[in-house]
Amino acid sequence: SDKVGTSSICLNNLVYDFLAFKCLRRLFIENVILDSDHVTSLGTLRSTLEELSVKNCSIQEISRVLLCDTPHSSLDGVLANSPSLAWTNLKHLDLSENSLTGLDRSIRLATTLESLTINNNAINTLDNLTGLPRLRNLQLSNNKIKITQDLHTVLGQVTTIDLSYNKISSLQPFRKLYSLQSLKVNNNRIEELEDVYPVCSLPCLETLDLTNNKVTQQVDYRLKVFESMEQRCREVSLDGQIPSQPELDKVSVLMALRVTREKKNPISLFGNLPNSEQW
């Protein structure tokens, strides 16, 4: 509510009308009161806008943004007429630093989304993401998310996920995300190696960040995680570092010892050791 210079103008009390911006492709809104009294005709951008960022606007529901100029008492009636309300070209949506506690169904009005960023909110669940078939990048750091259900039916096509600074205790729900390339879950509540192993066999995983989880204090933590990844471990960055050659050598030894311990045929190691190129 600070005034501009010596004038009586308060920036976050101004009225913004987008009726004249019919070809706008990128829009960044910050510290604005987002309601029909202060923001009008935002819906005229539904067919042109490709990138939308709304930060520090104290919004509590996504519908406050995607349906900001559409009066509604409940989402059911509005979404029944959703074709006319769809954001047909929106690829990137950033709603960071607000007061969101969840993802309401209005997010499905943006089926073309490729990147969704909602950092620094109070979200506790991952709902209503099944209607986003093009989503590849999901950023939800600094929330209150706990995950218990399998995510492959919700995020099966996503390649990059940032869930750092949340309340995640296991990576079991991520085990079938076969397209996943990067997973950041640093500063969560993961304590046991058994809660990490489920993602170690993901075929496309290139980056895994578990820093500042208690599991990193386990004896030989890095070696055991790399061992679970088998030959692919040399392609994976764990906590910002790819495995060193000494680590690869030790992982190969651990894998050989495991084969002996489990009385498996040693031939199963051929071509599967992380340093097999040297053997």
Side-chain angles (χ1 to χ4, degrees), residues 70-262:
T70 305
H72 61 279
S73 57
S74 70
L75 287 178
D76 291 332
V78 174
L79 295 179
N81 300 313
S82 59
S84 63
L85 300 173
W87 295 75
T88 54
N89 281 301
L90 191 60
K91 297 178 181 178
H92 308 284
L93 178 61
D94 189 343
L95 302 175
S96 298
E97 299 173 28
N98 283 290
S99 303
L100 297 170
T101 58
L103 307 175
D104 63 64
R105 284 180 296 163
S106 67
I107 192 67
R108 298 180 183 179
L109 294 171
T111 58
T112 56
L113 275 183
E114 298 175 4
S115 174
L116 178 60
T117 302
I118 313 182
N119 298 327
N120 299 297
N121 277 269
I123 293 173
N124 49 44
T125 59
L126 298 180
D127 296 325
N128 298 308
L129 290 174
T130 53
L132 305 177
R134 300 185 187 179
L135 188 64
R136 297 294 180 270
N137 188 327
L138 182 62
Q139 307 286 323
L140 291 168
S141 66
N142 279 287
N143 280 281
K144 300 179 180 180
I145 297 172
K146 297 179 181 179
I147 301 176
T148 56
Q149 80 277 22
D150 282 343
L151 294 176
H152 66 283
T153 58
V154 180
L155 301 173
Q157 74 286 354
V158 172
T159 59
T160 302
I161 297 177
D162 184 352
L163 283 165
S164 53
Y165 293 92
N166 276 282
K167 298 182 178 181
I168 296 169
S169 58
S170 174
L171 300 185
Q172 180 74 10
F174 299 81
R175 72 188 190 282
K176 294 183 180 180
L177 295 182
Y178 300 122
S179 298
L180 192 61
Q181 298 174 10
S182 175
L183 178 60
K184 293 186 66 176
V185 283
N186 52 290
N187 295 277
N188 272 275
R189 299 179 178 180
I190 303 169
E191 298 183 7
E192 304 297 333
L193 284 164
E194 287 71 19
D195 294 318
V196 176
Y197 292 151
V199 300
C200 291
S201 59
L202 291 178
C204 299
L205 191 65
E206 299 174 353
T207 302
L208 178 60
D209 191 346
L210 292 161
T211 52
N212 293 323
N213 281 280
K214 288 186 177 180
V215 68
T216 60
Q217 301 172 14
Q218 297 265 4
V219 176
D220 292 332
Y221 148 74
R222 283 179 61 85
L223 292 179
K224 291 177 180 177
V225 171
F226 284 140
E227 180 191 0
S228 185
M229 293 177 178
E230 298 185 345
Q231 185 184 29
R232 282 208 68 250
C233 74
R234 61 185 173 188
E235 305 169 6
V236 179
S237 170
L238 177 61
D239 302 338
Q241 292 184 320
I242 60 173
S244 63
Q245 188 57 51
E247 284 180 323
L248 292 176
D249 293 339
K250 290 177 183 178
V251 168
S252 295
V253 171
L254 289 174
M255 290 176 62
L257 290 174
R258 186 178 65 194
V259 166
T260 301
R261 184 172 61 253
E262 296 175 355

Side-chain angles (χ1 to χ4, degrees), residues 265-279:
N265 192 329
I267 199 172
S268 64
L269 291 173
F270 292 168
N272 290 323
L273 294 173
N275 58 358
S276 59
E277 294 179 354
Q278 301 178 14
W279 284 44

